[in-house]
């Protein structure tokens, strides 16, 4: 079977990392134009660094939850799932999350379409690399040594998400598309369900409540991710044995 999974902030909510648009979500407390746009960074880089430094430090204590572990288990079993021979099976995990909880749970290949909090990017020389400490405006780039050009390697509003060609190629050949813990209000991720459907895939949403584009899915299962994702994965694996 070829599966594409899309995850959003809801899968990490029970790990203690906030969502964005729920009641008390990050964007109800912080102005996204200030901290998640290139213009906001140009206006006040200190404020942007402070916002991401706090989120990076939250990651040091956040633990993957049963939903992350269940997806890692599904990836391991992909060759056993019915529908296609093992050598024509493919598991693709695309996340909008910038945390590292899928990797922590053992997922081997994760496509971070919105970048990663534990990476930095130099806007002078395009250096990209691991970054685990607080970021400050006057820090030099490890490659070109230019001061003041380091930023978190995350995709802001108005910027092009990463790996789009690869993601669309996977969507156009998948048998099943599953969206987990995302409000379906941010593009291009919100259009993935339509792309997969046009390619003939079955589509499923797993979320706390119906998302903004819930009516585009063939099916929806609702509840906390830590419960409904492992239950769904168990069902998929049992159905194939
Ligand atoms: N289990 C499952 N789903 C949950 C849970 C939970 N425990 N808690 C919340 N949710 C659901 C909410 O109902 C909501 O539909 O997760 C979704 C979170 O939606 P958003 O806060 O909008 O987060 P997301 O969809 O990931 O946002 C997309 O927007 O701000 C940008 O770049 C940021 O990647 C982010 C993108």
């Amino acid at each position: 079977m070829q599966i594409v999974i899309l995850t959003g902030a809801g899968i990490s909510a029970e790990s203690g990392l906030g969502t964005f648009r729920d009641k008390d979500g990050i964007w109800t407390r912080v102005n996204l134009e200030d901290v998640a746009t290139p213009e906001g960074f140009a206006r006040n880089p200190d404020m942007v660094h402070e916002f991401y430094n706090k989120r990076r430090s939250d990651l040091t204590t956040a633990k993957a939850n049963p939903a992350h572990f269940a997806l890692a288990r599904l990836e391991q079993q992909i060759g056993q799932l019915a529908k296609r021979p093992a050598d024509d099976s493919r598991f693709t995990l695309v996340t909008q999350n910038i945390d590292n909880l899928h990797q922590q749970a053992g997922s081997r290949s994760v496509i971070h379409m919105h970048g990663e909090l534990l990476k930095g990017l130099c806007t002078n020389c395009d250096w990209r690399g691991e970054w685990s400490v607080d970021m400050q405006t006057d820090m030099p780039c490890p490659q070109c040594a230019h001061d003041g050009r380091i930023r978190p390697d995350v995709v802001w509003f108005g910027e092009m998400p990463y790996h789009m060609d690869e993601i669309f190629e996977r969507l156009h050949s998948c048998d099943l598309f599953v969206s987990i813990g995302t409000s379906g209000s941010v593009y291009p991720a919100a259009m993935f369900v339509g792309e997969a459907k046009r390619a003939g895939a079955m589509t499923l949403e797993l979320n706390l409540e119906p998302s903004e584009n819930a009516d585009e899915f063939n099916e929806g299962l609702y509840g906390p991710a830590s419960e409904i994702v492992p239950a769904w994965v168990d069902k998929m694996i049992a159905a194939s044995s």
Side-chain angles (χ1 to χ4, degrees), residues 19-201:
T19 59
F20 295 97
R21 294 171 184 79
D22 292 310
K23 187 173 157 287
D24 302 324
I26 296 171
W27 298 149
T28 67
R29 289 177 277 114
V30 183
N31 187 0
L32 74 84
E33 280 83 15
D34 287 338
V35 298
T37 63
E39 296 78 17
F41 185 60
R43 263 194 316 271
N44 191 343
D46 288 348
M47 181 200 273
V48 175
H49 285 313
E50 193 185 328
F51 175 74
Y52 289 98
N53 287 345
K54 164 76 174 74
R55 297 186 63 197
R56 199 180 293 105
S57 111
D58 288 346
L59 271 194
T60 57
T61 50
K63 298 267 177 288
N65 71 53
H68 299 103
F69 284 105
L71 294 184
R73 198 150 45 86
L74 188 62
E75 181 179 14
Q76 283 160 15
Q77 300 283 326
I78 186 70
Q80 273 68 58
L81 303 184
K83 200 131 179 160
R84 293 191 192 217
D87 60 2
D88 193 26
S89 294
R90 198 157 62 161
F91 179 89
T92 304
L93 177 54
V94 181
T95 188
Q96 298 167 91
N97 299 341
I98 58 175
D99 65 50
N100 62 348
L101 298 185
H102 285 304
Q103 287 95 328
Q104 200 189 97
S107 285
R108 283 186 294 238
S109 116
V110 185
I111 300 179
H112 279 274
M113 64 179 289
H114 290 169
E116 293 177 69
L117 199 43
L118 293 177
K119 289 203 172 142
L121 163 67
C122 173
T123 58
N124 186 52
C125 71
D126 287 339
W127 171 86
R128 268 201 172 81
E130 307 295 321
W131 198 286
S132 57
V133 297
D134 277 359
M135 208 174 255
Q136 313 293 349
T137 302
D138 57 1
M139 278 177 161
C141 165
Q143 180 170 272
C144 70
H146 211 292
D147 281 348
R149 302 293 290 273
I150 288 289
R151 57 168 275 187
D153 189 14
V154 300
V155 175
W156 287 325
F157 289 93
E159 296 180 326
M160 180 60 82
Y162 294 154
H163 312 298
M164 291 311 297
D165 288 349
E166 186 182 2
I167 295 169
F168 279 111
E169 184 261 311
R170 302 293 176 110
L171 287 168
H172 292 156
S173 68
C174 72
D175 307 302
L176 173 64
F177 171 75
V178 187
S179 171
I180 303 174
T182 176
S183 57
S185 56
V186 176
Y187 286 81
M191 66 192 269
F192 290 176
V193 55
E195 290 292 315
K197 244 172 134 172
R198 264 189 294 284

